[in-house]
Amino acid sequence: MSNRALRNTWIICKHECLKRIRTRSFLITTFLMPLFLAAAFGSAALLGARANRDNQRIVLVCPRQDLAEDIREHLVNNTKGTYHVTIDTEVSDAEHQRLVDDLNASRIDGFLWIDADSIKEGRATYERRSAGDFRWQLLIRNSVSSALNRMRMAEYGIKPDQIKTMLQGAELEMRFTGGSRGSVRRDAAAIVTVLLLATALFITVLSYGVMIMRSVLDEKASRVIEVLLCSATPDELMSGKILGVGAVGLIQVVIWGMMGIAMAKPPSSTPGVHIVPLPLMIYFGIFYLLGYLLYSAMFAAIGAAFNSSDEAQHWTFAIISPLIFACTLIAPVAAAPNSTLAVITSLIPFCSPVLMYMRLAVESPPGWQIVLCFALLIAAIYVVQRIATQIYRVGILMYGKRPSVREMVKWLSYA
């Protein structure tokens, strides 16, 4: 590329970048949108926790005081006082009807019924107004089961300290060892954060690709492109537009990453340690750039070939369908990162920006797979850029009817 071509590409790139950075929408989506989402989710979680803390009134009905106290102690200790449990030792039919009336009148939120037959059969009945709060249901099941086991052991003459030792259980620490990482600890927060990053990768690549297509369509519809072609070639226009919009996206991703690192920093005395390791953040930037270069060229070609977004919408779906397919495989790939499905789909260039990043986050794949993924992705970018440039060069000056697939194939043979 000559110095003149580089200069024209740089001018167009700078214009596209500064034009979008200076807009109010960029500032809102970059700085205020993450804060708004954090405040919205935080408020919802806070209100939900407060609602549970204020309204959960449970009655525990059991004829055996010792068994009821055991169950109540386990429930209260595992809910940190967010549930108020009252013990009732009367198990008559009249008492059951009274509790049902209290439940229907919203004076209580539920009651746990354990009569003499239930104790013998090892079961319990929990009644409430709605089927929600599944965590509480699981906790009740575990509490009743544990208390009944302790009661049976005591009846067989096992001492309380022996019962406590037998039912103590064990803590499980998950460690994953693979590749050159050594032993790396993973927790639920890290996995959820990486899933969010993979989803954000899909959204950013898609949104900025569509932004390029709309920009080309607007310039073509307003005939501004004819004026621009007097000073720059179609290749320079396309390259400058892709690089300019990509720079905007990269700036936004870097700002979001810095905000995410700041919010993900743990409050413990381990400064510099974050939920998402630094290599994963670097991989995120690399896959964003490669995925953007792959898809933005196709969006630019579609924008140049058609005259309106309505005409281009069918091709838009065809372009983003690999990304949608990759997004649906995020959970299976995270669950089995070395399965045949995960390996094959992560090496497909149109899916690898999302799926290979997901595999790198969960368990480092073999080095040859990473190298092959980057090689295939770069080769696909080169081929797609060449094809898109030919379509852009011819289609940018085509007006009137919607081009067919056969006509766009003919454009590839034009000089």
Side-chain angles (χ1 to χ4, degrees), residues 202-266:
F202 161 76
I203 294 174
T204 51
V205 170
L206 175 60
S207 60
Y208 284 105
V210 173
M211 185 183 297
I212 286 182
M213 185 188 72
R214 292 184 182 276
S215 176
V216 175
L217 285 170
D218 292 340
E219 291 178 355
K220 184 177 179 180
S222 62
R223 300 298 179 95
V224 174
I225 196 68
E226 297 177 4
V227 179
L228 295 175
L229 288 175
C230 296
S231 303
T233 64
D235 297 352
E236 296 166 0
L237 288 175
M238 177 177 164
S239 301
K241 188 175 293 293
I242 290 176
L243 294 176
V245 177
V248 176
L250 184 60
I251 292 172
Q252 197 170 55
V253 167
V254 169
I255 294 175
W256 286 346
M258 294 174 62
M259 296 173 66
I261 290 175
M263 289 187 293
K265 187 174 181 179

Side-chain angles (χ1 to χ4, degrees), residues 30-68:
T30 303
F31 296 100
L32 297 184
M33 187 61 69
L35 298 177
F36 172 77
L37 293 176
F41 286 111
S43 300
L46 181 62
L47 292 175
R50 178 171 298 179
N52 289 335
R53 182 171 62 248
D54 294 341
N55 296 327
Q56 298 303 311
R57 296 154 297 180
I58 308 299
V59 177
L60 172 56
V61 183
C62 181
R64 291 191 52 163
Q65 185 71 27
D66 57 342
L67 180 60

Side-chain angles (χ1 to χ4, degrees), residues 398-413:
M398 290 290 182
Y399 299 95
K401 69 172 185 176
R402 179 189 304 178
S404 63
V405 177
R406 181 178 299 178
E407 290 177 341
M408 286 192 286
V409 172
K410 288 182 179 179
W411 294 354
L412 301 179
S413 61

Side-chain angles (χ1 to χ4, degrees), residues 329-344:
L329 293 179
I330 287 179
V333 169
N338 288 321
S339 63
T340 304
L341 174 65
V343 173
I344 294 176

Side-chain angles (χ1 to χ4, degrees), residues 373-403:
C373 171
F374 284 124
L376 292 175
L377 190 53
I378 293 173
I381 291 172
Y382 175 78
V383 173
V384 170
Q385 290 275 357
R386 291 292 300 270
I387 296 174
T389 300
Q390 282 294 99
I391 296 176
Y392 185 92
R393 184 181 302 165
V394 179
I396 200 67
L397 294 176
M398 290 290 182
Y399 299 95
K401 69 172 185 176
R402 179 189 304 178

Side-chain angles (χ1 to χ4, degrees), residues 9 22 25 27 51 61 70 101 104 132 200-201 207 215 236 251 278 299 344 389 397:
T9 302
R22 292 170 179 172
S25 61
L27 298 177
V61 183
D70 194 358
D101 295 338
N104 293 331
L201 184 64
S207 60
S215 176
E236 296 166 0
I251 292 172
L278 181 61
F299 278 111
I344 294 176
T389 300
L397 294 176

